[in-house]
Amino acid sequence: MRLTAILGSPHGMKGTTGQVLAGLLDGAREAGAEVTVYSLSEKQVAPCRACDACHKTGKCSIQDDFPEILLAMLNADAIVLASPNYIFSVSAQMKAVLDRCCGPLHLQIMEGKHAAAVVTSGGSGSEEVEAYMLRFLRTLGCWTVGSVGAEGRQLFDEDSRTKLLVSAASLGAKLVAAAEAQQTFPDQQAERAAFHERMKQLVAFRREEWPYEYEYWRSAGRL
Ligand SMILES: Cc1cc2nc3c(=O)[nH]c(=O)nc-3n(C[C@H](O)[C@H](O)[C@H](O)COP(=O)(O)O)c2cc1C
């Protein structure tokens, strides 16, 4: 059971998001997961240049740490995205990773994996960012198991810190259990099927311009 976590805070594991993520990962490890964390504070991931190379050839034209992160996502059974709330959205570091996943998203290549999200905020608004990251994970093809959102001050008080980390650990354990059982989520089925169909239509429509993606869908017998 392999779990890949991506942390989008410039503060790394010492920051607020990193501490909540660590709680989730403790629960996942206890449930038997082998965990790898990619802290974007230590990685270089540039924004997407919209060159379409991934759609045309299956390879990104930018040379940085993204391919290593993508490979770790592909090799994982479970994925966790963790980001601070930056103005009602994810950090720019995390957004760069999401955008660079445009090719894999067209391929629906993460179908069957399980995923969860972690968000922390200074004041409020984590829910919106949790919903955004979970939606992104579903559009990649993952089943989303849940998310944990927190405000930084919850970590200062011993009582609320313990409660928060216990609930994060319980999400980590739930994620591993769902991945192990290959659990499906009927309430996600309609959105999932609609997005899969949308990507299939898109790739078929652009087959001349994006031969790699068309061939991927065709050779997988999905067209
Ligand atoms: C650029 C920037 C934008 C932020 N925007 C918000 C916001 O819209 N709402 C909020 O509640 N907190 C906001 N914050 C606060 C962070 O979300 C909060 O401190 C978070 O817990 C930091 O996590 P970290 O220590 O893992 O980096 C912002 C912080 C920064 C640096």
Side-chain angles (χ1 to χ4, degrees):
M1 172 55 49
R2 280 173 297 199
L3 186 156
T4 293
I6 302 168
L7 171 61
S9 164
H11 296 131
M13 289 304 282
K14 290 192 178 134
T16 310
T17 319
Q19 291 178 56
V20 181
L21 173 64
L24 185 152
L25 298 179
D26 283 347
R29 281 193 194 93
E30 264 183 45
E34 182 193 310
V35 170
T36 311
V37 181
Y38 285 87
S39 174
L40 301 180
S41 60
E42 293 161 10
K43 297 282 171 193
Q44 296 298 322
V45 180
C48 173
R49 290 183 193 141
C51 65
D52 279 4
C54 58
H55 307 316
K56 290 175 185 160
T57 68
K59 288 207 173 67
C60 183
S61 65
I62 306 173
Q63 284 177 13
D64 61 10
D65 294 323
F66 176 71
E68 179 192 351
I69 294 171
L70 176 62
L71 188 63
M73 290 169 82
L74 291 171
N75 286 336
D77 304 291
I79 296 168
V80 178
L81 297 182
S83 176
N85 169 6
Y86 279 4
I87 323 286
F88 319 117
S89 190
V90 294
S91 66
Q93 291 85 339
M94 177 61 77
K95 186 62 165 65
V97 169
L98 307 193
D99 290 348
R100 296 278 293 279
C101 284
C102 190
L105 190 147
H106 281 186
L107 303 180
Q108 294 286 278
I109 205 168
M110 310 258 176
E111 269 180 2
K113 297 186 191 296
H114 289 73
V118 174
V119 178
T120 71
S121 299
S124 62
S126 293
E127 306 79 15
E128 198 170 334
V129 186
E130 289 164 62
Y132 172 64
M133 282 203 287
L134 292 174
R135 185 176 180 203
F136 164 78
L137 287 161
R138 286 193 297 275
T139 59
L140 271 182
C142 301
W143 297 106
T144 55
V145 175
S147 60
V148 56
E151 289 162 22
R153 63 186 161 77
Q154 284 174 260
L155 287 168
F156 292 116
D157 169 79
E158 204 45 48
D159 238 27
S160 58
R161 179 187 175 86
T162 305
K163 273 191 201 136
L164 174 60
L165 295 184
V166 165
S167 99
S170 132
L171 177 60
K174 200 171 144 191
L175 174 62
V176 172
E180 260 168 3
Q182 281 299 295
Q183 189 178 345
T184 58
F185 295 78
D187 58 323
Q188 296 173 23
Q189 190 57 55
E191 177 195 23
R192 184 187 172 84
F195 200 80
H196 180 102
E197 184 58 26
R198 198 176 130 200
M199 289 304 103
K200 180 177 168 178
Q201 297 298 334
L202 175 67
V203 167
F205 181 69
R206 304 291 293 267
R207 61 185 171 276
E208 302 295 332
E209 298 130 284
W210 299 342
Y212 173 82
E213 292 191 343
Y214 182 74
E215 185 51 29
Y216 179 92
W217 276 77
R218 199 201 55 74
S219 62
R222 288 153 131 200
L223 287 174

